[in-house]
Amino acid sequence: MRRHKGVKYLPLLLAALLRKKARTLLTLLSVAAAFALFGMLDAVRVAFDSPQSMVGIDRLITSSRLSLIQPLPSADLARIQSVPGVKAVTFASWFGGIYQDPKNFFPNFPVDPESYLDMYPELVLPKAQRQAFLNTRTGAVVGRSLADQFGWQIGDKIPLKATIYPNRDGSAVWTFDLVGIFQAAEPELRGTEKQMLFHHDYFDEGRDLGQGTIGWYIERVADPARADRVAQAIDRQFANSAFETRTQSEREFQLSFAKQIGDIGLIVKAIMGAVFFTLVLLTGNTMGQSIRERIPELAVLKTIGFTNRAVLLLVLAEAVLLLLIGGLLGMGMARLSLPAIREATSGQFDLTMQTETWILAVGLMTVIGIAVGLPPALKAMRLSIVDALAGR
Amino acid sequence: MTERAPNQDADRTPPLVAIRGVSKVYERGRERIEVLHHVDLDIPEGDFLALMGPSGSGKSTLLNMIAGLDVPTEGTLRVAGRQIEGLSATELARWRAAHVGFVFQFYNLLPALSAQKNVELPLLLTRLSAAQRRRHAAIALQLVGLSDRATHKPNELSGGQQQRVAIARAIVSDPTLLVCDEPTGDLDRHSAEEVLALLQRLNREYGKTMIMVTHDPKAAEFARRTLHLDKGTLVEQAGPDASS
């Protein structure tokens, strides 16, 4: 019965929205655009906030306690290896090389090939290519997505321009021989195919500064359930030394890496705050204008027996309906665009829209609808019939 | 809607509208404007009353008070068996929905709704089902001769047709009383006569009690009797039935 009571007013609400079709359409589009942006950005936030893969849960990363860009001595490897609970250790560094143009950015790491590939079994490299990588001092391997992006084939020479580490001969260009192309073991890990790996030894001997250091260590722990204790044990090894460490899970490390750009959650909230603030002003103004134009009609509704409360609820429902139609349209657009984003970034941005994003979006639509609808709804509720009909 | 004979014997039956000592004063700043001054008036059931008078004479104010849109500063109003001057806004709204049908000068139809949906509007406040609402609205439109225009929007109708849709909306819930504020004020002579003839038919054939405010003496001729207001006071009583 209650459902029936509400539904019967729907034609009245739609009629109010369709009264000025162009204005309603433009308002709907601005609401849809805001929620499309929200849908995509919240998918980014969720991707950063919640682990989506079980891969790497037994891996820890040890970096400098001071900063991610502060190197660690390569001699620490043996001490880390000796910590109880550590099954294997490898390391990598940030090279920061540029291929042809800075906009062609991709991560490239000097690594210890054998231990690194053992540490990351999800990077699947054919046996022969793996052997070639181990045997070739100037050799490099890249992911399939990266190779496809630049049309690289095995045997190609790949020049990278150093941004941090110039070559000892004074040149900024490092040339690598492409000896292998790896693929991600699981489709959701396709983002890992966007990286390039090469020999740490070749890099360490050739660089002009920082010899004998690495960027970070990666440990495999024997028991993931005891990973916290192992991490603490590693950091205790280096406490009060010149190179204090900070050991965390791989996931936390990736997050802190990403957070060098800034707090993703905060950035998303700031952008959405600005967008929704503008939306409230815009939609609020439109609703206000719409109600001002319909004062005689609202007066007629009150005249024929609609109570003040009924008129208040009608105007509020109209605003919420406007937000819901536009908002769901925008969320649908965002949902449809996520696979395209994944495709365009070769899986690097594998975003999904979670149920919590939908719930949050519908909540925001309702709250914004009430916020923009309340001032005109109160005005409509307080409307004096006699004055309104007399045009005063 | 049932067909009823107009009540000719006002002496024995209590009047549908009983107004006693009603005054209305508006205060604008320090200025005090008395729009109605101690008005006494009885309107029997089945009456068709025309209220005439110059602008500012208080006729619309009196109409608004009888219809429960405005409240008197002083005096009592008993309409359709209920004392209405002390009702709250919500009680008045519910009372209006049950007892009063309105016809305005400028029709005041909702432009985005079809004629049928406009007529159904007052029925949204009832417990009728959607099918019953449609049926009642169709009957009302048939009564005003606009069955073939049910799906038309107001801007697809002439002024006279829009006013007939407004009349259908006013009678669809079978109200006790029909109040019309300058119902022909925006119409050409031919359309005005059609609308007035329709109102007269609703009064004579269906016994609808009507109160009509008008400036137009020709419009007033369609009423059973006419009252003149001047400076807030009833000054004259006339009309075709007044002498009978």
Side-chain angles (χ1 to χ4, degrees):
Chain A
M1 188 67 195
R2 282 192 72 80
R3 193 185 70 84
H4 172 75
K5 272 178 80 175
V7 167
K8 72 180 177 182
Y9 295 109
L10 199 57
L12 201 55
L13 297 177
L14 291 175
L17 290 177
L18 294 174
R19 194 174 177 274
K20 290 267 169 89
K21 291 189 184 73
R23 181 170 62 196
T24 302
L25 184 67
L26 289 174
T27 311
L28 278 179
L29 286 178
S30 50
V31 174
F35 275 93
L37 191 61
F38 167 78
M40 285 188 276
L41 285 179
D42 203 59
V44 172
R45 181 189 65 78
V46 170
F48 274 101
D49 282 358
S50 57
Q52 288 171 16
S53 170
M54 292 302 281
V55 172
I57 57 165
D58 59 349
R59 286 196 292 252
L60 295 174
I61 309 272
T62 301
S63 58
S64 167
R65 189 180 183 82
L66 300 175
S67 156
L68 267 177
I69 57 168
Q70 190 74 24
L72 294 172
S74 49
D76 288 348
L77 182 98
R79 288 176 71 186
I80 294 175
Q81 183 80 69
S82 68
V83 171
V86 172
K87 221 164 109 182
V89 187
T90 189
F91 58 84
S93 304
W94 181 260
F95 180 60
I98 300 292
Y99 178 67
Q100 293 178 341
D101 193 297
K103 72 181 180 202
N104 292 334
F105 169 81
F106 58 85
N108 34 75
F109 306 121
V111 300
D112 173 56
E114 188 158 25
S115 61
Y116 194 87
L117 289 173
D118 287 345
M119 184 64 75
Y120 289 95
E122 64 266 32
L123 307 181
V124 181
L125 190 63
K127 254 186 185 169
Q129 292 177 23
R130 178 186 166 106
Q131 203 53 49
F133 185 33
L134 299 184
N135 295 341
T136 312
R137 198 173 168 70
T138 55
V141 292
V142 298
R144 169 54 62 197
S145 301
L146 197 59
D148 289 348
Q149 185 181 346
F150 296 112
W152 291 336
Q153 290 178 339
I154 291 173
D156 284 357
K157 285 199 177 294
I158 301 169
L160 292 188
K161 190 180 171 192
T163 54
I164 308 168
Y165 300 104
N167 222 315
R168 194 172 274 183
D169 63 10
S171 149
V173 178
W174 295 66
T175 305
F176 302 96
D177 295 303
L178 185 59
V179 294
I181 295 172
F182 60 82
Q183 285 184 306
E186 296 171 27
E188 60 265 33
L189 296 172
R190 278 187 63 202
T192 59
E193 290 186 2
K194 278 284 185 187
Q195 52 181 326
M196 175 175 170
L197 309 173
F198 54 91
H199 280 254
H200 173 79
D201 290 349
Y202 172 55
F203 160 70
D204 202 38
E205 284 165 25
R207 64 176 157 171
D208 203 19
L209 52 95
Q211 278 98 347
T213 63
I214 55 96
W216 58 90
Y217 289 101
I218 305 124
E219 301 90 13
R220 183 182 302 287
V221 293
D223 179 5
R226 297 173 59 85
D228 276 356
R229 289 188 184 182
V230 175
Q232 287 165 12
I234 293 170
D235 291 343
R236 268 200 304 275
Q237 286 277 328
F238 304 101
N240 302 317
S241 75
F243 296 96
E244 287 195 313
T245 59
R246 181 176 180 214
T247 303
Q248 52 197 333
S249 72
E250 188 175 74
R251 179 85 203 162
E252 286 169 335
F253 176 77
Q254 285 167 349
L255 279 178
S256 57
F257 210 90
K259 280 175 182 170
Q260 284 190 109
I261 311 167
D263 184 336
I264 302 295
L266 188 69
I267 292 170
V268 168
K269 279 177 197 156
I271 295 172
M272 289 323 301
V275 169
F276 284 134
F277 179 68
T278 313
L279 186 67
V280 166
L281 293 185
L282 181 84
T283 320
N285 185 42
T286 308
M287 276 301 294
Q289 196 181 343
S290 168
I291 295 302
R292 276 195 297 279
E293 286 170 9
R294 278 158 44 211
I295 279 177
E297 291 170 31
L298 292 167
V300 169
L301 290 181
K302 290 177 89 166
T303 302
I304 64 177
F306 281 72
T307 60
N308 289 339
R309 186 167 162 269
V311 171
L312 174 99
L313 291 177
L314 269 180
V315 177
L316 275 183
E318 182 185 328
V320 172
L321 184 66
L322 182 75
L323 263 294
L324 281 175
I325 295 172
L328 291 174
L329 186 72
M331 290 293 288
M333 281 158 48
R335 173 70 190 81
L336 292 176
S337 69
L338 294 185
I341 292 173
R342 178 180 163 170
E343 208 56 41
T345 59
S346 306
Q348 239 181 343
F349 283 97
D350 185 17
L351 306 174
T352 53
M353 207 177 273
Q354 307 285 318
T355 311
E356 66 168 89
T357 300
W358 284 98
I359 293 171
L360 186 60
V362 171
L364 278 168
M365 291 168 208
T366 311
V367 169
I368 295 173
I370 291 171
V372 300
L374 197 58
L378 286 171
K379 186 181 170 133
M381 185 185 84
R382 292 171 187 149
L383 198 69
S384 153
I385 300 174
V386 175
D387 288 346
L389 289 177
R392 287 194 286 265
Chain B
M1 191 180 294
T2 52
E3 197 161 329
R4 289 174 293 187
N7 175 24
Q8 300 287 349
D9 195 357
D11 289 341
R12 276 182 255 166
T13 315
L16 185 71
V17 178
I19 299 170
R20 296 288 177 269
V22 161
S23 297
K24 181 69 182 178
V25 177
Y26 290 109
E27 288 182 11
R28 289 198 184 125
R30 288 184 180 179
E31 199 181 2
R32 213 168 165 275
I33 303 161
E34 191 173 37
V35 182
L36 285 176
H37 180 70
H38 291 292
V39 172
D40 292 319
L41 174 64
D42 285 346
I43 303 171
E45 193 179 348
D47 200 1
F48 185 173
L49 172 69
L51 277 175
M52 294 192 72
S55 293
S57 60
K59 54 190 187 301
S60 287
T61 303
L62 183 59
L63 187 79
N64 287 339
M65 281 197 263
I66 295 169
L69 296 177
D70 205 349
V71 288
T73 313
E74 199 182 317
T76 61
L77 282 128
R78 189 169 184 84
V79 186
R82 181 131 192 215
Q83 211 73 32
I84 62 167
E85 75 274 2
L87 297 182
S88 69
T90 303
E91 287 170 329
L92 268 180
R94 292 194 177 127
W95 176 83
R96 284 196 301 273
H99 293 288
V100 190
F102 293 86
V103 181
F104 306 96
Q105 180 177 357
F106 299 109
Y107 335 127
N108 285 342
L109 300 174
L110 269 59
L113 294 179
S114 66
Q116 166 91 22
K117 290 284 178 198
N118 264 290
V119 176
E120 279 184 39
L121 269 180
L123 301 179
L124 291 177
L125 301 167
T126 67
R127 290 175 179 272
L128 294 179
S129 68
Q132 287 170 318
R133 291 198 299 271
R134 274 197 298 275
R135 201 161 53 246
H136 279 67
I139 293 169
L141 279 170
Q142 193 180 22
L143 210 64
V144 300
L146 285 175
S147 293
D148 56 339
R149 296 285 189 273
T151 57
H152 289 228
K153 297 270 175 66
N155 62 2
E156 297 163 346
L157 301 170
S158 69
Q161 287 172 330
Q162 287 187 59
Q163 193 60 299
R164 278 149 65 194
V165 173
I167 292 169
R169 179 180 66 187
I171 60 173
V172 72
S173 53
D174 197 14
T176 318
L177 182 68
L178 216 59
V179 296
C180 314
D181 195 356
E182 301 276 10
T184 57
D186 199 43
L187 298 177
D188 59 65
R189 175 53 59 194
H190 176 69
S191 300
E193 282 181 3
E194 275 184 355
V195 164
L196 289 163
L198 174 62
L199 291 175
Q200 193 176 53
R201 189 159 74 88
L202 290 170
N203 171 253
R204 290 184 187 266
E205 291 181 21
Y206 297 95
K208 283 283 145 209
T209 309
M210 297 205 195
I211 307 167
M212 174 175 72
V213 161
T214 182
H215 274 105
D216 181 3
K218 285 198 180 300
E221 284 173 14
F222 284 80
R224 287 180 185 276
R225 61 184 178 127
T226 302
L227 292 179
H228 286 263
L229 271 155
D230 191 26
K231 294 176 185 165
T233 309
L234 283 170
V235 291
E236 188 185 343
Q237 188 162 335
D241 291 358
S243 56
S244 63

